[in-house]
Amino acid sequence: MRKKLARGVTASAAAVVMVAGILSDSASAGTSNNTSAPGGRRNAEGISPTREDTGQRVEGTLASEAMTAPKGTTSATKAARSAETRIGTGNGVYVGKVNITTRLRNGRYELTDPTRGGLSTVDFGNRSNREESSGKRFTDSDNVWGNGTVNSRQSAAVDAYFAAGKTWDYYKNTFGRKGMRGNGQGPTAIVHYGKSLTTAEYDYGLWFGDGKGDKRPLTELDIVAHEFTHGVVESTVGFARTGDEFRGLNEATCDIFGTMVEFNANIAADTPDYLIGEKVNSHGDGKPMRYMDKPSKDGKSPDYWKPGIGRLDDAHHAAGVANHFFYLMAEGSGKKVINGVAYDSPTYDGSKVTGIGREKAAKIWYKALTTQFTSTTDYKHARVGTLKTAAALYGKTSSEYKAVQKAWTAVNVR
């Protein structure tokens, strides 16, 4: 059992945190129930006793220092922090050329964002043991980061940093939520974790391997947003860590908001879609990790609910039902083309579902997550919860309420 995550940060025995991830690759880190992979984890899903919410320590200081001014902070301190803020240029593997907010300190630029709660990105040096190292802070002399290829260690860092910032913005601007826990503190994104490790995880920090051959970093926009959302889920509903359908709902929630962040960011280098991790090519076949319009296209995820679905080996597959529900609620059934991507979403009963749009669908799901769901919510109760929030938001006779009903029925949740 791991008692600490980094040098100088000791875990509280009472602080139990979900280690959750994006992938279902047997080579990736994951559950505490399965110990076949590096670190004694498999499938990027599990629990471990860990630390209080203090941030990742880097070079003796908190990389996730709360850069937003706490109560009692003087105007002089606020001005000093504002003076540190700079706009740099990032060249990511997946996000392309982007502007990023950095910090200037002691004549060097850092991948630390004073405007987003001290959100930061560090280099883990391709080590696998989280107890051996804290990671190294990214610094630069000219505030131009990466070259867009994996030949520069900064490139994947740009992806993770930019994506975490966009996720922060989405939650703040859409739901008024400042950070994963709503406490104004930005997370640390740890890149270059392990060797050829095909995994992305949430374990207070956001952890990203470099993929097969260390050439496919798991730092795509929707993947980073997925991991960030695990922090949101853990600090709100806190789905139980093992067994049954709530594990699938946990992963689906992260896919849903990972997708919403991608649409909200709307960058040319990563055209928004309902495909999860399509640019990473994690399996080497050029296909996405998961499909929201028809989850069964990955060969493992179900399109519809059936008894025993919560006992699937991988919670990411059990997520298929909720992912499909969300797609139907947002976009509707049948054939369509969105941003150049063709979709053809089926329904269990052959019915036609008319979508209400992504923004309304996300609003319904977030409100249900934060006001209706519990740690052991299953698919049946998720239906009840989303109908309650749809009624509260739009009325029980509204088209939005009816769309929620039809979308759940269309994935055989009644």
Side-chain angles (χ1 to χ4, degrees), residues 155-167:
S155 298
V158 168
D159 288 327
Y161 189 67
F162 176 83
K166 286 298 181 182
T167 309

Side-chain angles (χ1 to χ4, degrees), residues 207-229:
W207 298 76
F208 304 100
D210 281 333
K212 294 181 179 180
D214 293 325
K215 300 295 185 183
R216 301 170 186 167
L218 274 289
T219 52
E220 188 178 344
L221 181 57
D222 57 357
I223 295 177
V224 176
H226 174 111
E227 301 309 328
F228 190 113
T229 300

Side-chain angles (χ1 to χ4, degrees), residues 170-171 174-175 253 256-261 274 325-327 329-330 356-370 386 389 393-394 404:
Y170 173 77
Y171 278 106
T174 307
F175 305 115
T253 297
I256 287 167
F257 288 115
T259 296
M260 287 304 300
V261 170
Y274 287 94
F325 159 77
F326 184 85
Y327 176 88
M329 177 172 57
I356 59 174
R358 289 182 294 274
E359 288 75 18
K360 288 182 177 179
K363 191 174 182 179
I364 289 169
W365 192 267
Y366 183 81
K367 188 173 178 64
L369 175 75
T370 54
T386 52
T389 58
L393 289 168
Y394 303 107
V404 174

Side-chain angles (χ1 to χ4, degrees), residues 13-215:
V16 180
V17 178
M18 179 173 295
V19 179
I22 188 81
L23 284 182
S24 57
D25 193 311
S26 60
S28 65
T31 65
S32 57
N33 300 338
N34 301 288
T35 57
S36 62
R41 296 187 304 278
R42 186 176 67 84
N43 292 341
E45 180 70 28
I47 58 172
S48 63
T50 182
R51 59 196 165 126
E52 301 286 359
D53 183 14
T54 54
Q56 176 78 9
R57 287 192 182 274
V58 181
E59 299 171 350
T61 53
L62 290 177
S64 290
E65 294 163 300
M67 299 302 295
T68 50
K71 291 181 180 179
T73 300
T74 66
S75 58
T77 301
K78 293 178 182 178
R81 286 174 174 167
S82 177
E84 293 177 332
T85 304
R86 297 290 187 274
I87 301 299
T89 300
N91 298 284
V93 178
Y94 304 116
V95 300
K97 186 176 181 179
V98 292
N99 290 331
I100 52 177
T101 302
T102 60
R103 180 170 70 178
L104 177 63
R105 191 172 68 166
N106 299 326
R108 298 281 295 180
Y109 298 97
E110 299 176 354
L111 287 185
T112 300
D113 190 341
T115 69
R116 296 179 175 92
L119 182 155
S120 64
T121 299
V122 301
D123 187 339
F124 207 63
N126 295 107
R127 289 178 289 264
S128 298
N129 190 331
R130 300 182 191 183
E131 296 185 7
E132 289 181 347
S133 173
S134 309
K136 183 179 180 181
R137 191 187 305 275
F138 279 99
T139 65
D140 191 78
S141 61
D142 62 5
N143 213 15
V144 177
W145 305 81
N147 61 12
T149 75
V150 294
N151 295 326
S152 168
R153 297 184 74 81
Q154 291 184 353
S155 298
V158 168
D159 288 327
Y161 189 67
F162 176 83
K166 286 298 181 182
T167 309
W168 172 286
D169 292 347
Y170 173 77
Y171 278 106
K172 180 183 177 183
N173 297 336
T174 307
F175 305 115
R177 185 179 190 84
K178 295 181 180 179
M180 296 189 302
R181 293 168 192 83
N183 62 359
Q185 182 174 324
T188 300
I190 302 97
V191 298
H192 304 305
Y193 169 50
K195 290 185 178 296
S196 295
L197 196 57
T198 308
T199 188
E201 300 177 21
Y202 163 71
D203 192 358
Y204 270 119
L206 314 176
W207 298 76
F208 304 100
D210 281 333
K212 294 181 179 180
D214 293 325
K215 300 295 185 183

